[in-house]
């Protein structure tokens, strides 16, 4: 096996720029870790507000990631196969939530699905269901920002697939369903998992769309990022403690993702 | 720097001040009072700061960040409801009905602290569905008809007479919010800073404050 080229052989200017880039990302985390009071950390995290927010964050982000996989995978496969002129339009719309400021996404959700929204009003009038201010509302806000990650990952994974497997199985008489379940989906597994993990991470960190659409109610819709925002104005140590908790959760997702990628490449 | 509930009136005051002093260039920063305090303690540059409660100002005095505080206005809470609310809400007592969606500011910001004071004093336990971080985001949810009622300042309610109705609260349970203003203790006080503070007690500004629904100290 050929060993990878060593870092020392890179031009100095590249190494300097690379170090600056890395430092830029590391410095804020150092600030967070350095300012925390470690002795009271566990005590800070043990309060009811944090535990409630942790529970809501974990459950809503996992629910959103699962829904993102459930709907994002078919959408990603479909988008990889659509070749007409509408594919550009569809792709732009699907990727929009990745770039849109989340608070704009939250307002859009409110105008569409709020109690007085275009779709939310008939929903409320017929079923009495109100999506904002509920756990379901948090999941919807999370899903809106997280779904594109699965779509993008599955679509690009699908483009790299070796289509010969599908053609071969078709020539052996496998129907469309059989080809999907025994060839396409297993081959796409790494892309689906990577997309799902990214979606989970994005949902876990969601702030703007959640506070705009689902509101901020401790015990019902207040997630960890919302709790950090509230604590910043009142109790800095608590805000630091919750931030460190979020850093650990995000690190866990990143490490899981890396391991996953390494095992497949 | 000024509390978010001062957004409209301070924008007007700044404009009037600039018209009277063409050399002045007033830059305004609005945020919740707690957020303002944290920004100042973290070293944000400012000449003058106005907060929506005394506690925040006291903390800044203690931290030796500000000097010479004075209460220049007061504000009280009211209950607002969308104008086409059916059936209409005519008294805060109706909040006892648990099916009404009620929004408040969170306890840790001035309007929230005043709201929970009122609720405790009046013995009300409404169906609170969201605790917003500032009064403006709370009002937006009423304007969008996503809440049946919310506790906001009289001055906020007055900004949208065509969209919300204001239901007065019982004065005996109601405390007023004081708005203190002070100048930075750090940098040298400029002549314009002192001029601006003096400008606040001119008749023009006082009548503007009243027209926005503020009470005078």
């Amino acid at each position: 096996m050929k060993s990878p080229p060593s870092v020392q052989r890179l031009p100095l200017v590249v190494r300097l720029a690379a170090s600056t880039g890395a430092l830029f990302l590391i410095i804020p985390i150092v600030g967070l870790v350095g300012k925390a009071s470690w002795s009271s950390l566990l005590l800070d995290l043990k309060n009811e507000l944090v535990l409630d927010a942790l529970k809501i964050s974990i459950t809503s982000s996992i629910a959103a990631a699962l829904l993102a996989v459930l709907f994002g995978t078919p959408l990603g496969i479909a988008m990889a196969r659509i070749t007409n002129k509408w594919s550009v339009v569809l792709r732009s719309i699907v990727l929009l939530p990745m770039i849109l400021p989340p608070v704009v996404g939250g307002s859009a959700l409110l105008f569409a699905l709020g109690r007085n929204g275009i779709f939310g009003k008939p929903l409320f009038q017929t079923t009495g269901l109100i999506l904002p201010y509920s756990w379901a509302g948090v999941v919807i806000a999370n899903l809106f920002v997280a779904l594109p990650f699965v779509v993008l990952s599955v679509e690009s994974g699908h483009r790299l697939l070796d289509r010969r497997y599908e053609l071969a199985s078709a020539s052996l008489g496998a129907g469309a369903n059989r080809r999907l379940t025994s060839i396409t989906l297993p081959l796409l597994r790494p892309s689906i998992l990577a997309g799902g993990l990214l979606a989970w991470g994005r949902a876990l960190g969601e702030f703007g769309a959640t506070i705009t659409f689902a509101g901020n109610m401790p015990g019902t819709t207040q997630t960890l990022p919302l709790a950090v925002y509230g604590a910043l104005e009142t109790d800095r140590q608590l805000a630091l403690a919750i931030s460190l908790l979020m850093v650990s959760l995000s690190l866990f997702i990143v490490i899981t993702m890396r391991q996953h990628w390494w095992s497949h490449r | 720097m000024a509390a978010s509930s001062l957004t409209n009136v301070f924008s007007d005051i700044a404009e009037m001040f600039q018209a009277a002093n063409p050399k002045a260039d007033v830059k305004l920063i609005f945020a919740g009072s707690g957020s303002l305090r944290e920004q100042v303690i973290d070293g944000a540059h400012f000449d003058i700061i106005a907060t929506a409660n005394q506690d925040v100002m006291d903390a800044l005095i203690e931290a030796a960040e500000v000097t010479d505080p004075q209460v220049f206005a007061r504000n009280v809470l009211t209950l607002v409801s969308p104008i086409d609310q059916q059936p209409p809400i005519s008294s805060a007592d109706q909040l006892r009905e648990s099916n009404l969606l009620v929004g408040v500011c969170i306890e840790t910001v001035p309007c929230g602290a005043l709201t929970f004071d009122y609720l405790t004093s009046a013995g009300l336990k409404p169906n609170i569905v969201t605790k917003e971080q500032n009064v403006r985001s709370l009002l937006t949810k009423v304007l969008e008809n996503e809440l049946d009622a919310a506790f906001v300042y009289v001055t906020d309610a007055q900004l949208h007479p065509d969209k919300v109705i204001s239901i007065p609260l019982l004065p005996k349970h109601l405390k007023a919010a004081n708005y203190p203003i002070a100048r930075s203790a750090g940098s040298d006080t400029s002549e314009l800073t002192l001029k601006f503070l003096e400008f606040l007690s001119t008749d023009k500004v006082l009548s503007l404050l009243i027209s926005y629904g503020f009470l005078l100290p």
Side-chain angles (χ1 to χ4, degrees), chain B residues 88-163:
Chain B
I89 297 174
S90 55
S91 126
D93 265 346
Q94 278 171 264
L95 300 187
R96 289 179 203 281
E97 297 163 30
S98 62
N99 58 345
L100 289 175
L101 302 180
V102 181
V104 296
C105 295
I106 197 156
E107 299 93 318
T108 49
V109 300
C111 70
L114 290 170
T115 302
F116 283 94
D117 269 354
Y118 183 85
L119 293 176
T120 312
S121 171
L124 278 174
K125 282 204 180 75
N127 171 32
I128 295 171
V129 292
T130 186
K131 295 181 174 180
E132 297 285 319
Q133 212 69 42
N134 64 65
V135 67
R136 288 301 155 107
S137 64
L138 180 60
L139 190 64
T140 306
K141 288 197 160 82
V142 180
L143 295 176
E144 286 307 323
N145 230 325
E146 299 293 342
L147 288 170
D148 295 319
F151 288 85
V152 301
Y153 290 119
V154 167
T155 51
D156 299 304
Q158 220 170 301
L159 294 173
H160 304 278
D162 51 331
K163 286 186 176 147

Side-chain angles (χ1 to χ4, degrees), chain A residues 132-154:
Chain A
Y133 321 121
S134 68
W135 181 83
V138 180
V139 176
I140 288 172
N142 283 348
L143 182 60
F144 182 74
V145 295
L147 186 59
F149 287 89
V150 178
V151 178
L152 199 66
S153 176
V154 170

Side-chain angles (χ1 to χ4, degrees), chain A residues 110-111 114-117 130 133 211-212 215-218 229-230 232-234 236, chain B residues 35 37-38 42 101 106 108-109 128-133 141 144-148:
Chain A
L110 204 58
F111 296 140
R115 187 179 56 160
N116 200 37
I130 302 172
Y133 321 121
I211 203 165
T212 316
N216 177 47
M217 189 67 198
Y229 180 60
L232 265 179
E233 295 197 358
T234 50
R236 286 240 140 161
Chain B
S35 164
R37 178 193 56 214
E38 296 301 327
D42 277 344
L101 302 180
I106 197 156
T108 49
V109 300
I128 295 171
V129 292
T130 186
K131 295 181 174 180
E132 297 285 319
Q133 212 69 42
K141 288 197 160 82
E144 286 307 323
N145 230 325
E146 299 293 342
L147 288 170
D148 295 319

Side-chain angles (χ1 to χ4, degrees), chain A residues 90-127:
Chain A
L90 182 65
R91 191 160 295 123
S92 314
I93 292 171
V94 168
L95 298 187
L96 198 58
M98 292 177 97
I99 303 160
L100 206 63
V103 61
V104 175
S107 318
L109 284 172
L110 204 58
F111 296 140
L113 301 174
R115 187 179 56 160
N116 200 37
I118 294 174
F119 304 102
K121 197 169 189 171
L123 181 76
F124 172 63
Q125 282 163 348
T126 51
T127 63

Side-chain angles (χ1 to χ4, degrees), chain B residues 17-40:
Chain B
F17 184 71
Q18 271 169 332
N21 302 272
K23 269 189 290 179
D25 178 20
V26 185
K27 290 195 175 65
L28 297 167
I29 298 170
F30 297 105
S33 295
S35 164
L36 288 179
R37 178 193 56 214
E38 296 301 327
Q39 287 179 34
V40 167

Side-chain angles (χ1 to χ4, degrees), chain B:
Chain B
M1 295 176 118
S4 18
S5 47
L6 294 169
T7 305
N8 298 61
V9 69
F10 259 56
S11 304
D12 284 5
I13 293 175
E15 217 167 275
M16 283 161 59
F17 184 71
Q18 271 169 332
N21 302 272
K23 269 189 290 179
D25 178 20
V26 185
K27 290 195 175 65
L28 297 167
I29 298 170
F30 297 105
S33 295
S35 164
L36 288 179
R37 178 193 56 214
E38 296 301 327
Q39 287 179 34
V40 167
I41 288 172
D42 277 344
H45 176 79
F46 70 101
D47 296 308
I48 295 172
I49 183 164
T51 63
N53 79 350
Q54 196 64 51
D55 289 353
V56 167
M57 194 55 92
D58 289 346
L60 291 176
I61 295 166
E62 203 171 303
E65 294 282 358
V66 301
T67 179
D68 214 4
Q70 272 167 350
V71 173
F72 71 99
R74 296 189 312 139
N75 207 346
V76 287
L77 290 180
T78 186
L79 187 66
V80 289
S81 180
I83 206 151
D84 46 8
Q85 172 79 21
Q86 285 304 331
I89 297 174
S90 55
S91 126
D93 265 346
Q94 278 171 264
L95 300 187
R96 289 179 203 281
E97 297 163 30
S98 62
N99 58 345
L100 289 175
L101 302 180
V102 181
V104 296
C105 295
I106 197 156
E107 299 93 318
T108 49
V109 300
C111 70
L114 290 170
T115 302
F116 283 94
D117 269 354
Y118 183 85
L119 293 176
T120 312
S121 171
L124 278 174
K125 282 204 180 75
N127 171 32
I128 295 171
V129 292
T130 186
K131 295 181 174 180
E132 297 285 319
Q133 212 69 42
N134 64 65
V135 67
R136 288 301 155 107
S137 64
L138 180 60
L139 190 64
T140 306
K141 288 197 160 82
V142 180
L143 295 176
E144 286 307 323
N145 230 325
E146 299 293 342
L147 288 170
D148 295 319
F151 288 85
V152 301
Y153 290 119
V154 167
T155 51
D156 299 304
Q158 220 170 301
L159 294 173
H160 304 278
D162 51 331
K163 286 186 176 147
V164 298
I165 55 156
S166 178
I167 303 122
L169 298 169
L170 295 172
K172 65 172 172 176
H173 300 303
L174 204 54
K175 279 189 209 151
N178 282 337
Y179 284 74
I181 191 161
R183 58 194 163 84
S184 169
S187 55
D188 293 330
T189 310
S190 72
E191 205 178 308
L192 275 173
T193 300
L194 293 174
K195 241 183 174 172
F196 187 88
L197 289 169
E198 276 168 31
F199 188 68
L200 283 180
S201 48
T202 57
D203 287 347
K204 251 177 19 184
V205 172
L206 295 183
S207 55
L208 184 74
L209 282 166
I210 291 169
S211 76
Y212 271 105
F214 287 97
L215 306 172
L216 299 180

